[in-house]
């Protein structure tokens, strides 16, 4: 049995427990997670019976790739009848008015949802997004292998670029060099996010004051970007001696992501910034020591806050002022913003198979951002550090 079929069966057990009739998967990443294909359409997973992938295009490619029966989507007006004919238990649900369909309401556009509601008159719709996201928290060996490969590629790309960093080069030039090295090694170029209106390019590469410019992106460092229409990451600022260069990079291999950050400098950092960087490493190592199955995600964040307050750096932790973000780390996999989140209110106990990026950083307006980020696999006995790039400040 394929990993995709096992995922479908796990979801079916959850549907039965909740009394839900089926799950209509709509989002591209979730379609891939459950079928191994990412073609336009819907995957219907009934509580009982074989799932069907209803594809608008490309039907031929879905038939070749998908670990599910594939049919042409056709008109939504006839979808209810076609599903009723396929699954023995559904007609009774339709007749009794007890049809309960789950879908990913966190990402499904309202207009599209209204079309689906019209296609299933009388059905009750359930938000199944958390169920999917919680299933995706635990990674399979193949998923972990892809993330490991991405970590090696990020490391090799950064090391290849470091000798070419020079005073006076533009931030976007450095970003272009890094992206070239990543793409030549197999990076797919996509860094997917689930959150509404969130976008992410290969990473956040910026230096000095420009790195500390806040933006809409939910992270501790913004960057000016090249234009207000793309207001994040590398801009036209020229890298100067002595200012921190924040290199926050991702890489996508077989759809799976790595996330890591290193602080570079031409020459030496200002002592205050160096001290803040040292505290970031201390926070990271203290968090590492607590990465054990059963540890509550929220507690890791709260303990980090205590450590930062003791160091007198709370005002600069994970951003500055009103633009501070309220987390220490996040799950990672097919998307950059997966569960669990190391933040207040997230009560998930760590469990083997979770992959988490931990990123303590300090922002100093007008001066720069310093910090470090590594990605970890939670194991039966603790953790495995998936990031392999050398730590400490990297001096050019």
């Amino acid at each position: 049995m394929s990993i995709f079929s096992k995922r479908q069966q796990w979801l079916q057990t959850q549907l039965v427990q909740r009394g839900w009739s089926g799950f209509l998967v709509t989002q591209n990443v979730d379609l891939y997670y459950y079928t191994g294909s990412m073609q336009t359409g819907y995957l219907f997973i009934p509580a009982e019976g074989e799932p069907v992938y209803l594809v608008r295009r490309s039907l031929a490619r879905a038939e070749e790739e998908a670990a599910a029966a594939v049919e042409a989507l056709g008109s939504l007006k006839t979808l209810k009848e076609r599903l009723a004919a396929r699954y023995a238990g559904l007609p009774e649900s339709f007749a009794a008015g007890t049809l309960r369909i789950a879908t990913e309401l966190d990402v499904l556009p309202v207009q599209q949802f209204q079309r689906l509601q019209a296609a299933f008159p009388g059905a009750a719709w359930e938000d199944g997004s958390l169920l999917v996201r919680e299933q995706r928290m635990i990674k399979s060996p193949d998923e972990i292998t892809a993330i490991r490969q991405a970590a090696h590629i990020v490391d090799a790309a950064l090391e290849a670029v470091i000798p070419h960093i020079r005073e006076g080069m533009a931030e976007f030039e450095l970003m272009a060099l890094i992206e070239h090295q990543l793409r030549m090694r197999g990076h797919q170029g996509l860094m997917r996010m689930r959150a509404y209106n969130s976008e992410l390019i290969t990473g956040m590469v910026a230096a000095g004051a420009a790195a500390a410019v806040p933006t809409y992106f939910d992270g501790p460092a913004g960057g000016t970007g090249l234009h207000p229409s793309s207001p994040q990451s590398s801009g036209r600022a020229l890298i100067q001696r002595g200012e921190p260069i924040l290199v926050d990079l991702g890489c996508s291999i077989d759809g799976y992501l790595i996330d890591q950050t290193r602080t570079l400098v031409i020459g030496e950092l200002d002592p205050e910034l160096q001290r803040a960087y040292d505290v970031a490493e201390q926070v990271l190592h203290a968090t590492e020591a607590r990465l054990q199955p059963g540890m509550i995600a929220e507690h890791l964040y709260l303990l980090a806050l205590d450590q930062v307050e003791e160091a007198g750096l709370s005002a600069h932790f994970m951003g500055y002022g009103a633009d501070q973000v309220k987390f220490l780390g996040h799950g990672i996999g097919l998307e950059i913003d997966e569960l669990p989140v190391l933040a207040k209110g997230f009560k998930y106990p760590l469990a083997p198979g979770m992959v988490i990026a931990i990123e303590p950083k300090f922002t100093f307006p007008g001066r720069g951002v310093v910090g470090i980020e590594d990605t970890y696999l939670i194991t039966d006995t603790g953790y495995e550090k998936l990031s392999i790039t050398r730590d400490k400040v990297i001096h050019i």
Side-chain angles (χ1 to χ4, degrees), residues 40-318:
T40 304
Y42 305 105
L43 173 68
F44 184 72
I45 302 178
E48 296 181 4
E50 295 298 319
V52 59
Y53 191 8
L54 302 149
V55 178
R56 189 178 303 281
R57 63 171 297 173
S58 161
L59 184 66
R61 185 156 180 180
E63 288 173 336
E64 180 181 338
E65 297 172 340
V70 175
E71 288 186 7
L73 175 59
S75 172
L76 286 182
K77 294 179 181 179
T78 64
L79 182 56
K80 174 181 173 180
E81 287 71 23
R82 284 182 284 136
L83 290 179
R86 171 180 280 271
Y87 301 108
L90 286 186
E92 289 79 5
S93 297
F94 289 135
T98 58
L99 185 69
R100 298 174 66 188
I101 305 175
T103 192
E104 311 109 309
L105 293 183
D106 64 329
V107 291
L108 183 61
V110 172
Q111 187 179 70
Q112 188 65 21
F113 179 51
Q114 290 173 339
R115 293 186 65 201
L116 292 171
Q117 285 179 308
F120 294 90
W125 289 86
E126 307 286 351
D127 186 3
S129 54
L130 188 59
L131 185 59
V132 171
R133 297 189 72 195
E134 288 177 343
Q135 182 180 5
R136 284 177 44 191
M137 282 196 302
I138 307 300
K139 306 302 188 287
S140 70
D142 286 346
E143 290 176 296
I144 295 164
T145 294
I147 297 171
R148 279 200 191 98
Q149 185 180 353
H152 282 265
I153 288 173
V154 159
D155 177 64
L158 180 60
E159 292 294 345
V161 166
I162 285 173
H164 301 282
I165 298 174
R166 67 185 189 282
E167 186 176 357
M169 76 184 306
E171 292 174 345
F172 73 84
E173 182 183 354
L174 174 55
M175 186 65 177
L177 291 176
I178 293 170
E179 287 186 303
H180 174 74
Q181 291 294 331
L182 288 170
R183 291 303 298 269
M184 291 299 291
R185 288 169 167 81
H187 170 44
Q188 292 173 293
L190 288 171
M191 298 287 291
R192 291 190 169 97
M193 294 194 68
R194 195 174 189 92
Y196 176 67
N197 266 354
S198 291
E199 300 171 315
L200 187 65
I201 54 176
T202 298
M204 200 318 246
V205 175
V213 172
T215 188
Y216 74 97
F217 184 76
D218 191 21
T224 63
L226 291 171
H227 187 267
S229 64
S230 182
Q232 62 169 302
S233 192
S234 306
R236 293 180 172 83
L238 304 182
I239 298 171
Q240 303 299 321
R241 178 173 294 273
E243 64 183 13
I245 308 168
L246 195 75
V247 181
D248 186 342
L249 295 179
C251 176
S252 176
I253 297 298
D254 297 341
Y256 287 88
L257 306 173
I258 193 72
D259 196 6
Q260 77 163 43
T261 300
R262 291 297 182 268
T263 300
L264 287 65
V265 64
I266 301 172
E268 300 291 334
L269 285 178
D270 174 275
E272 185 180 7
L273 296 181
Q274 179 64 57
R275 176 179 176 271
Y277 175 85
D278 292 340
V279 172
E281 281 208 343
Q282 292 164 15
V283 170
L284 185 69
H285 295 151
T287 305
E288 285 178 349
R290 302 182 178 110
L291 293 179
Q292 297 283 338
M295 183 68 180
I296 303 301
E298 174 188 58
H299 293 174
L300 294 171
Y301 173 64
L302 297 177
L303 289 166
L305 290 182
D306 291 342
Q307 191 173 356
V308 169
E309 183 177 10
E310 186 176 344
L313 288 169
S314 296
H316 300 273
F317 185 54
M318 302 300 283

